[in-house]
Amino acid sequence: MGENTTIRWILFFFFPALFVYGLLHVYSSKPAQAKKTAELTEMEEAGRKVYNKFCVGCHGENGDGNSMAAPFFKDKPPNFHTGVFRWKSTPEGTLPTDEDLLHVLNWGIPQTPMPSFHLVPEVQKRAVIAYIKTFSDRWKKEQPGESVYTKIKEIPPYFGTKESIEKGKELYAANCTACHGENGKGDGPIAATLPVPPTNLTYPVRAAGPSPKDTFRVLTVGLEGSPMPKFDHLSEEDRWHLVSYIAYLMNQGK
């Protein structure tokens, strides 16, 4: 790993976490209490304490995203009361899996204020996931949807080839430029009108996750609660060609 790559990862993981942690201490004067402690399980209560330490400053004491820090963010924190999560692997209208939520906690959401909590012990992250579920009754009535990862095959051998990138470029021009822009920088002609800013696809870290499968996942299920639709009308092969081109755009930002 080169020196520049090491510095990039330090900037990616450390400084967003430091920024959000600072906001937490500045803006969180009240502890989160979705329910009375007596109504919480032991794990949920443990999660409430983790939430108060790391999450309340941005997501709010009631989990509705209405914190004092939220007005400073262009991409607002989600309202956990809706049970709608953008970064997940399950179909639209279904709840995410615990692994989806853990993935966000570990990876963060690059290009947003949501940092990585990779260094927080997994037992604490599992506990805060349990606590977040107390904000919405959907978790009592519904089961998570089936993760698309169960259906994603191995990365095809043509991924990243010159031919695949060229095909992906054609598909991108026909399907993606209005929002993400001709060069993938999130500056398409309708970008400014959207309630959620389009991702800058040239950013050197994938917002969806570190694997091409994560990008394929987004193209397959979309980003619920945002203007990003699913592209399952495209064949699986065409979606992989798009992933090839998106990876090419990302590499241009390095």
Side-chain angles (χ1 to χ4, degrees):
M1 182 179 292
E3 181 178 354
N4 290 339
T5 302
T6 302
I7 293 173
R8 184 181 298 123
W9 280 101
I10 291 174
L11 291 173
F12 168 59
F13 282 110
F14 178 72
F15 285 105
L18 183 63
F19 171 72
V20 173
Y21 191 70
L23 283 176
L24 185 153
H25 281 282
V26 171
Y27 292 110
S28 61
S29 58
K30 298 180 181 180
Q33 187 73 61
K35 297 182 179 181
K36 295 180 180 179
T37 300
E39 297 176 326
L40 299 175
T41 66
E42 183 177 351
M43 188 172 188
E44 291 165 353
E45 173 60 18
R48 184 181 71 86
K49 294 176 181 177
V50 177
Y51 184 92
N52 284 338
K53 183 176 181 180
F54 294 113
C55 314
V56 69
C58 295
H59 292 283
E61 60 180 299
N62 295 314
D64 56 5
N66 189 26
S67 66
M68 294 182 68
F72 294 95
F73 301 149
K74 187 174 181 179
D75 196 357
K76 305 301 181 185
N79 179 355
F80 293 138
H81 292 252
T82 66
V84 174
F85 293 82
R86 189 184 311 169
W87 298 94
K88 63 190 182 79
S89 66
T90 58
E92 183 178 0
T94 65
L95 292 169
T97 66
D98 282 8
E99 295 308 309
D100 288 335
L101 300 179
L102 185 64
H103 176 84
V104 172
L105 292 175
N106 281 327
W107 184 247
I109 306 176
Q111 303 182 62
T112 78
M114 177 65 185
S116 164
F117 289 96
H118 180 73
L119 297 180
V120 174
E122 182 170 332
V123 65
Q124 294 186 25
K125 287 179 285 196
R126 295 278 183 185
V128 83
I129 287 170
Y131 179 67
I132 287 171
K133 291 180 180 180
T134 67
F135 289 117
S136 174
D137 288 339
R138 286 189 63 189
W139 296 98
K140 296 179 180 179
K141 303 172 183 177
E142 304 173 35
Q143 293 296 317
E146 182 182 5
S147 173
V148 72
Y149 286 118
T150 63
K151 301 177 181 179
I152 297 178
K153 302 173 184 177
E154 291 302 312
I155 298 173
Y158 56 80
F159 168 73
T161 63
K162 182 178 179 179
E163 293 76 13
S164 182
I165 292 171
E166 286 301 316
K167 290 180 181 178
K169 184 177 182 179
E170 294 175 4
L171 290 163
Y172 179 89
N175 293 277
C176 312
T177 55
C179 297
H180 292 283
E182 184 177 347
N183 298 311
K185 294 185 177 181
D187 57 356
I190 69 169
T193 68
L194 300 176
V196 178
T199 296
N200 178 352
L201 298 174
T202 69
Y203 194 75
V205 181
R206 289 182 176 90
S211 169
K213 289 184 178 182
D214 298 320
T215 305
F216 183 87
R217 175 201 85 210
V218 173
L219 293 175
T220 302
V221 302
L223 297 177
E224 188 171 357
S226 84
M228 175 65 189
K230 58 183 178 179
F231 283 87
D232 60 352
H233 62 282
L234 298 178
S235 68
E236 182 174 323
E237 181 176 340
D238 280 348
R239 273 175 276 156
W240 274 115
H241 290 320
L242 255 181
V243 176
S244 289
Y245 184 63
I246 290 170
Y248 167 81
L249 290 174
M250 184 191 72
N251 287 329
Q252 304 312 296
K254 291 185 177 180

